[in-house]
Amino acid sequence: MAFYYDEPSYTFSEYLLVPGYSSRECMPSNVSLKTPLVKFNQGEEPTISMNIPVVSAIMQAVSDDKMAIALALEGGVSFIFCSQTVENQAAMVSKVKNYKAGFVISDSNIKPDQTLADILEMKEKTGHSTVAVTDDGTSKGKLLGLVTSRDYRISRLPLNTKVHEFMTPFTSLICANQGISLKEANNYIWDHKLNTLPVIDENQNLVSLVFRKDYDTHKENPDALLDSLKRYVVGAGINTKDYEERVPALVEAGADVLCIDSSEGFSEWQKVTIDFIRNRYGDKVKVGAGNVVDREGFMFLAEAGADFIKVGIGGGSICITREEKGIGRGQATAVIEVAKARDEYFEKTGVYIPICSDGGIVHDNHITLALAMGADFVMLGRYFARFDESPTNKFNLNGNFMKEYWGEGSNRARNWQRYDMGGKSELSFEEGVDSFVPYAGELRPNVQITLNKVKSTMCNCGVITIPELQKKAKLTRVSSTSIIEGGAHDVVLKDNNILAVK
């Protein structure tokens, strides 16, 4: 006979936090949202921690290099989508690792005999206004000059003007020699009032560039998540099919952490993939796994060697797995049970494996609820798809700006590797939809508002750290009527002039 759970599974919307005693130190400015990303032994520090408990989903419509840079600036991590060629994904990872404030490998380079038209085309493609002029047009060629937006005016120069005619030549540049420290380079920039400092070797070959704006960016973003070389931390998705080719390429590109992208993680395929990584790289390469929704699934992936474990099946706004297959679990119930298993495993082994709540986040307060229920961080898709930094198109729909958002299980994504269980290399049916989400503008102000809500709620609970929240939070299930009571009701809203609740 099949096993039946005694109670139904619940979603985040069916819970509320109950306030706790708040001391004078419980102020949002005192709250730390630092949280571990990968497993660690009791008494030790995690190899990678995040400054905010948020990562972006492994989705075509969400996480590319632009999103990864924007989220790392805020203290989180993006997992660049894997439903693309190995080469393209590795290139995105490289862009993130080379973008960070510090010694940046130039990705905008040109030959002196090319034209202004080529400069403008490159600027449109990369978004960078500083272009290095080298003898062979590569980032390691002999430096002959620089081109910035100050070197030309489109209205005065024909588009066929050669680059060497308007560039700032090498003889007029202030450069630094290879081996200079970042602190010394920044002093150079300030002392000589530079925007860009080229670093060259003894043969005048370009090594890297140091930008004034990167220094300013670092000062304006104290929570930016950096590696030991002061580069942005970035994650990358992998699948259980081409991991032997994809993993080495991503590691070589500099990915800090990997994550198996799969609709269901309680599978031998995931163990085989983790085994490959452990046999080849040991514990040096960090890899998350999932998704699971119960104790058994967690314990399986914990024993398999996962560095973090994702929780949730069918809760995403564009996911129709539950509808199509009748499989999944309410996200709140899944997180609660897996968190208990995580704590049980920690008590038994002394190894703490972070869990990630993936899916089911509809409102900002759901993030705090997920953390209180035991999640160490959350993975968001729809939330990030709304921003300028997501890789989708913005368009006007009936007077409202929208952005495209589609699931990895949709025909548009064609991500059969995520759902395949050893059959044909194609989707046999859809488990995701193609949709629109309301455009919300830039990432940073939106994320700041969301995190301010999380911090404020934590203070209401009388805590200032995520571990304290997980230990002291009090939660209550709510009725359907009290859910209605929690929003605007029995009034006419000024914004849209409709009755909130009839």
Side-chain angles (χ1 to χ4, degrees):
M1 181 176 177
F3 175 81
Y4 291 86
Y5 286 92
D6 294 332
E7 291 192 2
S9 60
Y10 297 94
T11 67
F12 294 131
S13 292
E14 295 172 280
Y15 282 89
L16 284 175
L17 283 157
V18 176
Y21 170 73
S22 300
S23 66
R24 286 185 292 179
E25 71 170 353
C26 288
M27 298 184 295
S29 58
N30 290 335
V31 172
S32 168
L33 294 179
K34 189 171 184 178
T35 193
L37 177 60
V38 296
K39 68 183 179 184
F40 59 95
N41 295 322
Q42 187 173 14
E44 298 179 356
E45 289 294 318
T47 305
I48 307 174
S49 292
M50 297 186 293
N51 294 323
I52 62 173
V54 175
V55 301
S56 67
I58 311 169
M59 300 176 69
Q60 294 175 6
V62 178
S63 299
D64 64 355
D65 51 291
K66 187 175 180 181
M67 177 63 69
I69 292 167
L71 187 52
L73 268 172
E74 302 305 316
V77 172
S78 282
F79 285 87
I80 293 177
F81 70 95
C82 60
S83 51
Q84 59 178 319
T85 66
V86 173
E87 294 76 17
N88 286 349
Q89 188 185 18
M92 287 187 181
V93 170
S94 294
K95 284 183 179 180
V96 179
K97 300 307 292 185
N98 292 328
Y99 186 92
K100 175 60 196 95
F103 299 100
V104 180
I105 304 299
S106 176
D107 65 354
S108 295
N109 309 287
I110 203 164
K111 295 179 181 179
D113 59 352
Q114 290 182 260
T115 65
L116 175 59
D118 295 322
I119 289 284
L120 297 178
E121 181 182 352
M122 183 175 296
K123 184 178 180 181
E124 178 69 22
K125 181 179 179 180
T126 67
H128 299 158
S129 59
T130 299
V131 180
V133 185
T134 59
D135 61 346
D136 59 2
T138 71
S139 61
K140 298 298 182 182
K142 185 175 182 179
L143 182 63
L144 303 179
L146 283 182
V147 173
T148 70
S149 56
R150 297 179 302 178
D151 291 312
Y152 59 85
R153 186 172 298 178
I154 300 175
S155 60
R156 293 190 176 185
L157 277 181
L159 292 179
N160 61 357
T161 305
K162 300 293 185 181
V163 169
H164 65 80
E165 295 181 39
F166 59 88
M167 70 181 187
T168 300
F170 177 80
T171 54
S172 299
L173 295 175
I174 296 176
C175 300
N177 294 322
Q178 187 176 16
I180 190 173
S181 70
L182 184 57
K183 182 177 180 179
E184 291 170 334
N186 282 322
N187 287 337
Y188 244 79
I189 288 173
W190 289 103
D191 291 343
H192 296 281
K193 300 180 180 179
L194 304 174
N195 288 323
T196 307
L197 176 68
V199 179
I200 58 175
D201 64 16
E202 66 276 9
N203 297 317
Q204 199 179 311
N205 294 318
L206 180 62
V207 175
S208 58
L209 301 171
V210 182
F211 295 96
R212 174 194 289 263
K213 66 178 179 63
D214 285 342
Y215 178 86
D216 296 335
T217 298
H218 175 66
K219 293 301 179 182
E220 294 170 2
N221 297 273
D223 289 330
L225 195 59
L226 311 177
D227 65 15
S228 60
L229 298 177
K230 298 188 180 299
R231 302 173 301 178
Y232 291 140
V233 172
V234 60
I238 61 173
N239 60 63
T240 58
K241 304 306 171 188
D242 65 4
Y243 56 86
E244 293 185 2
E245 176 187 2
R246 192 172 294 271
V247 170
L250 295 174
V251 171
E252 178 67 23
D256 298 278
V257 57
L258 307 176
C259 183
I260 301 174
D261 181 33
S262 175
S263 63
E264 204 276 300
F266 195 178
S267 159
E268 185 178 1
W269 296 107
Q270 298 229 349
K271 184 180 186 305
V272 170
T273 303
I274 296 171
D275 285 345
F276 168 80
I277 293 172
R278 294 291 174 250
N279 291 334
R280 181 155 182 170
Y281 300 101
D283 292 329
K284 182 179 179 182
V285 172
K286 307 301 180 184
V287 58
N291 288 19
V292 299
V293 293
D294 61 7
R295 177 185 180 279
E296 282 186 282
F298 173 86
M299 290 299 182
F300 172 78
L301 291 179
E303 293 297 336
D307 286 293
F308 67 85
I309 295 173
K310 289 203 295 152
V311 182
I313 294 176
S317 60
I318 40 67
C319 183
I320 54 174
T321 294
R322 297 180 192 175
E323 181 179 321
E324 294 295 314
K325 297 168 66 174
I327 192 167
R329 201 175 192 189
Q331 188 66 10
T333 300
V335 169
I336 291 169
E337 180 172 326
V338 174
K340 289 179 180 178
R342 185 266 320 279
D343 294 343
E344 175 189 339
Y345 188 84
F346 179 58
E347 287 290 327
K348 178 182 177 181
T349 66
V351 178
Y352 188 93
I353 303 177
I355 62 172
C356 167
S357 178
D358 177 18
I361 303 290
V362 180
H363 305 294
D364 289 347
N365 65 74
H366 290 172
I367 297 175
T368 319
L369 284 165
L371 297 173
M373 292 172 181
D376 296 282
F377 55 98
V378 299
M379 177 172 278
L380 305 176
R382 179 195 60 84
Y383 178 88
F384 287 114
R386 304 172 301 146
F387 302 146
D388 286 321
E389 292 80 0
S390 73
T392 60
N393 296 319
K394 181 180 75 172
F395 61 96
N396 191 307
L397 180 65
N398 299 326
N400 297 308
F401 282 107
M402 311 290 286
K403 292 206 77 177
E404 296 175 299
Y405 180 46
W406 60 91
E408 289 297 293
S410 67
N411 275 327
R412 181 171 183 174
R414 308 303 304 167
N415 187 3
W416 64 268
Q417 295 97 331
R418 190 178 199 271
Y419 299 87
D420 176 68
M421 300 184 72
K424 295 181 179 179
S425 300
E426 61 183 17
L427 282 176
S428 54
F429 59 92
E430 289 186 278
E431 292 189 44
V433 299
D434 199 342
S435 64
F436 309 130
V437 290
Y439 169 66
E442 294 182 355
L443 179 145
R444 187 179 189 193
N446 283 282
V447 168
Q448 289 299 319
I449 290 171
T450 296
L451 296 180
N452 285 339
K453 292 178 184 179
V454 174
K455 291 179 179 180
S456 180
T457 306
M458 289 173 62
C459 290
N460 292 148
C461 295
V463 302
I464 58 173
T465 67
I466 292 174
E468 280 186 315
L469 178 66
Q470 294 170 341
K471 182 179 180 181
K472 297 181 180 180
K474 295 182 291 183
L475 295 113
T476 181
R477 284 209 302 265
V478 294
S479 67
S480 57
T481 304
S482 61
I483 293 174
I484 295 173
E485 180 187 59
H489 60 91
D490 301 312
V491 294
V492 176
L493 300 179
K494 291 182 178 180
D495 288 343
N496 51 19
N497 198 37
I498 62 170
L499 196 62
V501 176
K502 295 181 180 179

